[in-house]
């Protein structure tokens, strides 16, 4: 499988277990790597035979900006589920970064990584 990837998609969301996270919101960063057989698209130079990464980017941002959830695990699962609706995508890995997580010690980032495959 070939890989189509989006790195560093940024959106403001209101996810988290604490009231201030839900009220104030924060920036989330999402990376997506999609497994796609790009040969049919390349052979015909046809966008319809691959995944439109611009559409995927808009969908990811809409999910992050959408209905709040407590856990970034839930957010990652929602993103993966949406991406697998694209027929060309066989597998997707989603990394959700929460760089402003409410942690009391110095840190660079908090992430969750999920990999989901199309059901047979």
């Amino acid at each position: 499988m070939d890989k189509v990837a989006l790195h560093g998609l940024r959106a403001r969301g209101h996810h988290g277990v604490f009231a201030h996270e839900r009220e104030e919101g924060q920036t989330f960063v999402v990376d997506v790597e999609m497994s796609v057989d790009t040969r049919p698209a390349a052979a015909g130079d046809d966008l319809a035979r691959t995944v439109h990464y611009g559409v995927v980017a808009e969908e990811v941002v809409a999910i992050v900006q959408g209905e709040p959830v407590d856990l970034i695990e839930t957010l990652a699962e929602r993103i993966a589920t949406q991406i697998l609706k694209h027929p060309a995508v066989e597998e997707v890995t989603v990394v959700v970064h929460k760089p402003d997580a409410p942690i009391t010690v110095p840190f660079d980032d908090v992430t969750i990584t999920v990999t989901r495959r199309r059901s047979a």
Side-chain angles (χ1 to χ4, degrees):
M1 280 285 121
D2 305 312
K3 304 294 184 186
V4 176
L6 295 162
H7 298 281
L9 295 169
R10 297 181 188 283
R12 190 156 187 84
H14 294 266
H15 312 289
V17 296
F18 298 113
H20 72 274
E21 292 180 290
R22 293 293 185 105
E23 293 164 10
E24 298 168 18
Q26 60 192 290
T27 298
F28 292 84
V29 181
V30 179
D31 304 321
V32 173
E33 184 177 274
M34 299 166 282
S35 296
V36 177
D37 182 355
T38 62
R39 289 174 294 190
D45 199 26
D46 184 0
L47 177 61
R49 301 189 74 190
T50 187
V51 62
H52 190 311
Y53 52 79
V55 170
V56 171
E58 291 171 359
E59 292 171 347
V60 169
V61 167
I63 292 168
V64 173
Q65 292 174 338
E67 181 184 348
V69 296
D70 287 345
L71 303 177
I72 58 174
E73 290 86 342
T74 306
L75 185 61
E77 188 69 29
R78 285 183 178 179
I79 293 167
T81 298
Q82 178 59 40
I83 292 171
L84 285 173
K85 291 179 182 178
H86 293 268
V89 178
E90 291 298 321
E91 183 177 271
V92 63
T93 298
V94 176
V95 182
V96 175
H97 301 258
K98 189 175 180 180
D100 298 320
I103 296 176
T104 60
V105 297
F107 73 103
D108 289 330
D109 199 4
V110 172
T111 64
I112 177 70
T113 302
V114 300
T115 300
R116 300 293 180 263
R117 186 160 184 71
R118 180 177 304 287
S119 299

